[in-house]
């Protein structure tokens, strides 16, 4: 589970980094972090026009990477260094619709009928609730409260059909 999730996140991050490098020649990791993970960029409050280390733009905002990003062992540094400069249009797609479709069909083949039925009921209830919510009378009292309650019940049924605790 964790290894697969980490691999998927790394693949997406390398894809984003590659496309960013292609769209922003001369950019550095700090430029990417400012765009992709703003919480990891700490702006200088002074507002001076110093050239930030590593950037070729004199108009680049001043600041620094967060402690997490400055750490030498940070995986982002390695991924940035190793990611090619490649536009998104020339990258291998991260999502394979055939493979994902086959996974979905396999799940449907293996799932017990009551689980499939519960999911269909939850989806149908959500669709009906959405239809009612868009109707002209949906804003009249007490409709909003009833629609909210129906959404809670549908969510509970859906969560229970997936083995999750009801919310």
């Amino acid at each position: 589970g964790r290894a697969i999730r980490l691999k998927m996140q790394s693949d997406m991050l390398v894809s984003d980094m590659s496309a960013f490098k292609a769209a922003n020649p001369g950019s550095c990791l700090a430029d990417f972090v400012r765009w992709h993970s703003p919480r990891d960029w700490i702006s200088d409050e002074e507002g001076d026009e110093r050239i930030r280390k590593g950037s070729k733009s004199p108009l680049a905002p001043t600041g620094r990477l967060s402690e997490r990003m400055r750490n030498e062992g940070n995986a982002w540094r390695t991924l940035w260094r190793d990611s090619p400069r490649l536009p998104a249009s020339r990258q291998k797609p991260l999502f394979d619709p055939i493979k994902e479709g086959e996974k979905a069909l396999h799940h449907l083949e293996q799932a017990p009928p009551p689980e499939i039925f519960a999911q269909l009921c939850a989806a149908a209830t959500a669709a009906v609730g959405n239809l009612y919510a868009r109707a002209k009378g949906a804003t009249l009292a007490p409709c909003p409260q009833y629609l909210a309650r129906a959404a809670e019940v549908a969510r509970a049924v859906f969560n229970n059909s997936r083995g999750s605790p009801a919310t």
Side-chain angles (χ1 to χ4, degrees):
R2 179 182 162 93
I4 292 171
R5 189 174 66 244
L6 197 59
K7 169 82 170 111
M8 285 176 50
Q9 288 173 342
S10 293
D11 290 347
M12 287 187 280
L13 191 56
V14 167
S15 175
D16 288 349
M17 286 177 169
S18 295
F20 187 89
K21 282 180 171 183
N24 302 285
S27 60
C28 63
L29 176 62
D31 296 322
F32 177 76
V33 168
R34 249 187 24 256
W35 172 75
H36 194 276
S37 182
R39 291 182 186 174
D40 286 308
W41 178 257
I42 302 162
S43 295
D44 284 346
E45 297 299 321
E46 303 156 7
D48 60 22
E49 296 183 15
R50 288 178 292 160
I51 297 176
R52 189 174 25 78
K53 182 179 178 182
S55 178
K56 295 179 180 174
S57 170
L59 301 177
T62 59
R64 65 187 183 285
L65 294 173
S66 68
E67 188 67 36
R68 177 176 85 101
M69 289 295 173
R70 281 184 279 164
N71 184 351
E72 284 300 319
N74 187 294
W76 284 44
R77 289 181 173 279
T78 306
L79 293 174
W80 177 262
R81 184 191 67 226
D82 297 342
S83 63
R85 179 173 286 133
L86 192 63
S89 61
R90 293 187 33 222
Q91 293 181 24
K92 177 185 171 213
L94 295 174
F95 180 79
D96 182 353
I98 302 297
K99 183 178 176 183
E100 297 304 319
E102 288 173 355
K103 282 184 192 177
L105 290 174
H106 177 72
H107 172 74
L108 289 172
E109 289 172 350
Q110 302 301 316
E115 180 182 326
I116 302 295
F117 181 72
Q119 289 181 5
L120 287 172
C121 286
T125 302
V128 169
N130 188 28
L131 184 66
Y132 282 149
R134 289 187 286 139
K136 286 183 181 180
T139 57
L140 301 174
C143 288
Q145 293 86 0
Y146 290 141
L147 289 171
R149 179 66 186 135
E152 289 174 20
V153 170
R155 191 169 25 258
V157 168
F158 181 70
N159 286 339
N160 284 336
S161 73
R162 293 173 33 211
S164 303
T167 55

